[in-house]
Amino acid sequence: MERGLMLNDGDCGFCMRTAALVPRLGVDIDAATIQAVDLDALGVDPARAEVEMPYVHPDGSVDYGHRAFAAILRTGPLPWRLVGRLMTTRPVDPVARRAYHWIAANRSRLPGGTPSCALPER
């Protein structure tokens, strides 16, 4: 792959709305839904992809959740590139992880969210 690939849940209105906004940041990525690609061929864990957004780097490595979003931001212009780097630094990483998990857990209640956006029961 020449560009990274952001994957989102095509059954979730919040995820689709977010995916539509990400290109406006000027990032250099491709995007698809987890339902439209062969997750196994991309090395993406299907169970994890339902809970955390995956990002497949051009080299084939995969990040999930806040680290995926940070990697996406690092493909964009300033200031997004700096924000992406900051999100994975030692003091900010745990805060970004918790914020991402809160958003994911509540995505059915956020703008664009519907009951189908709710995470699977654990």
Side-chain angles (χ1 to χ4, degrees):
M1 289 188 328
E2 290 185 30
R3 294 169 42 150
L5 179 63
M6 176 183 75
L7 298 170
N8 63 288
D9 185 349
D11 293 332
C12 173
F14 175 76
C15 297
M16 293 300 292
R17 184 176 187 175
T18 302
L21 294 174
V22 168
R24 293 183 185 176
L25 302 175
V27 295
D28 186 27
I29 61 163
D30 290 321
T33 65
I34 59 174
Q35 293 85 357
V37 298
D38 183 345
L39 296 177
D40 290 331
L42 291 170
V44 173
D45 177 344
R48 193 167 179 190
E50 287 185 20
V51 179
E52 297 179 279
M53 176 188 68
Y55 174 71
V56 183
H57 292 266
D59 68 3
S61 62
V62 181
D63 279 319
Y64 295 89
H66 78 288
R67 290 186 167 267
F69 200 70
I72 291 165
L73 291 176
R74 287 193 303 267
T75 71
L78 291 173
W80 301 122
R81 207 168 35 240
L82 293 175
V83 172
R85 288 189 191 279
L86 182 65
M87 286 175 64
T88 57
T89 61
R90 179 172 278 170
V92 178
D93 188 77
V95 176
R97 181 181 320 111
R98 281 193 282 288
Y100 183 90
H101 284 291
W102 184 89
I103 290 168
N106 292 285
R107 66 189 192 181
S108 62
R109 296 182 198 109
L110 296 172
T114 65
S116 66
C117 298
L119 292 178
E121 294 291 323
R122 292 186 181 200

